[in-house]
Amino acid sequence: MATFFGEVLSVYSRAVEEDDDELDENEEDEQIRRELEEKREVHLHWSPEVSESLKSGNKLQCSDFILAVGQNASSFLSVHILSTPNWDTIGRASAWNERSRAVTGQGCEESACVFYRRKDNPTVLICQVSCYVAEDQLFQWTEKVFDCLQLRELNVTVLSDTSVADYKTADYLGGSSAPFLRSLHTSAFGDQPVCQSLEQPNIVTGLAAAVLNHCQVHRIAAVVYQCYSDVIGPDSVTMETYKPVLTKLGRSIQLDPSPSTDALRKFVRTTDLQSNLYI
């Protein structure tokens, strides 16, 4: 740009500087987004034996996969099944999110998502999930886990905790009605559930819903047993509600009908029990 006296001045545009700043901010936001996605990725950590088998292109042979989601469902398996020495720990899953306590990449003595395999029948697998799996992590958790399993003739049973406050019914539901079970299964499930089906407009959510949806798409026989309870935290009465489910599985699961008092006390703290109907 030339002035009246012939002096040439450089043209300065504030818009150009603002565009550069906006571009830098967009690149920075994109970098933060990528780092957050990497941090929230679900990681599976298998035992050396299982890892070597999977790396060779093999799948985990599995006829029955039992998934427990929630404190009562997980504690029920711990007390009535996993308390026997007939199970090996073969892996765990870690998923960092805003409500998780475990940090991805760090070992922890009591993982919130653990996989077990029965010693005398390696085709029976159990997974306990007592941690929170965020909505954006549900799909990848399900995809990664089932990608490791042999899907042919696979049967999936999901035990899932939920609050009775989430149960919708036109009839009055007294406090004495809880806990109780409701079921929802895929079209490939040919057995008879141990309880009545979940009534509309009630739905299954979270990891149980993600697993059920995956099984429906891939034509896997699967059933979700959702336990509605009015108690916060592990409760022996709520845990007993699941007993008919595993009793029906028969030989694949050895159920301990009378667990020791010490085993129950380890997972149930009676002094902390309270109803959430009035919270």
Side-chain angles (χ1 to χ4, degrees):
M1 182 178 69
T3 65
F4 178 77
F5 301 101
E7 182 182 3
V8 178
L9 302 177
S10 60
V11 178
Y12 171 78
S13 174
R14 181 180 299 175
V16 173
E17 186 179 75
E18 291 178 348
D19 288 343
D20 291 340
D21 291 342
E22 184 177 350
L23 182 60
D24 292 339
E25 291 178 0
N26 289 339
E27 291 179 351
E28 184 178 354
D29 291 343
E30 181 65 20
Q31 178 66 22
I32 294 175
R33 186 187 65 81
R34 286 197 299 265
E35 292 178 355
L36 187 59
E37 285 183 352
E38 292 177 0
K39 192 173 184 180
R40 296 175 70 89
E41 184 178 355
V42 176
H43 295 271
L44 300 181
H45 311 274
W46 298 106
S47 65
E49 177 188 353
V50 173
S51 296
E52 190 65 28
S53 178
L54 292 174
K55 289 179 182 178
S56 301
N58 300 317
K59 302 283 186 179
L60 282 170
Q61 298 298 315
C62 187
S63 60
D64 291 283
F65 179 53
I66 302 169
L67 172 66
V69 183
Q71 290 186 335
N72 277 298
S74 297
S75 297
F76 171 76
L77 294 185
S78 294
V79 172
H80 289 279
I81 296 176
L82 297 173
S83 58
T84 67
N86 199 27
W87 298 88
D88 284 328
T89 302
I90 62 170
R92 64 182 182 88
S94 58
W96 181 92
N97 55 59
E98 58 277 5
R99 287 170 54 182
S100 66
R101 296 182 179 179
V103 180
T104 301
Q106 294 184 358
C108 51
E109 293 182 1
E110 294 183 4
S111 177
C113 181
V114 186
F115 296 89
Y116 301 90
R117 181 167 60 185
R118 185 169 168 177
K119 293 180 180 180
D120 57 354
N121 187 359
T123 64
V124 180
L125 302 181
I126 282 179
C127 178
Q128 289 178 303
V129 182
S130 57
C131 62
Y132 172 73
V133 182
E135 185 175 350
D136 61 308
Q137 297 171 322
L138 296 174
F139 177 79
Q140 59 170 312
W141 190 100
T142 306
E143 287 288 317
K144 287 188 175 184
V145 170
F146 278 86
D147 187 54
C148 297
L149 305 181
Q150 177 67 48
L151 303 183
R152 185 179 180 181
E153 298 182 357
L154 173 63
N155 293 280
V156 178
T157 302
V158 182
L159 312 181
S160 178
D161 297 344
T162 193
S163 170
V164 72
D166 297 329
Y167 184 71
K168 300 176 179 63
T169 178
D171 302 324
Y172 171 74
L173 189 64
S176 59
S177 302
F180 58 89
L181 282 179
R182 291 294 184 269
S183 65
L184 197 62
H185 58 80
T186 62
S187 56
F189 183 77
D191 203 354
Q192 182 68 31
V194 300
C195 64
Q196 68 182 81
S197 299
L198 184 64
E199 309 92 329
Q200 294 183 351
N202 294 288
I203 59 174
V204 174
T205 60
L207 187 58
V211 169
L212 190 67
N213 181 69
H214 180 91
C215 292
Q216 177 66 23
V217 171
H218 294 275
R219 299 179 181 178
I220 300 172
V223 57
V224 171
Y225 290 103
Q226 189 151 274
C227 180
Y228 290 90
S229 177
D230 62 343
V231 175
I232 298 175
D235 165 46
S236 59
V237 177
T238 301
M239 289 161 55
E240 289 294 311
T241 309
Y242 287 116
K243 186 177 288 188
V245 178
L246 296 189
T247 302
K248 189 172 183 178
L249 291 178
R251 296 180 180 179
S252 61
I253 296 293
Q254 289 182 337
L255 187 67
D256 184 0
S258 302
S260 66
T261 304
D262 291 338
L264 283 172
R265 188 180 293 115
K266 182 179 178 180
F267 297 96
V268 179
R269 292 171 295 179
T270 56
T271 56
D272 293 339
L273 298 184
Q274 60 177 341
S275 172
N276 64 3
L277 290 177
Y278 305 101
I279 293 179

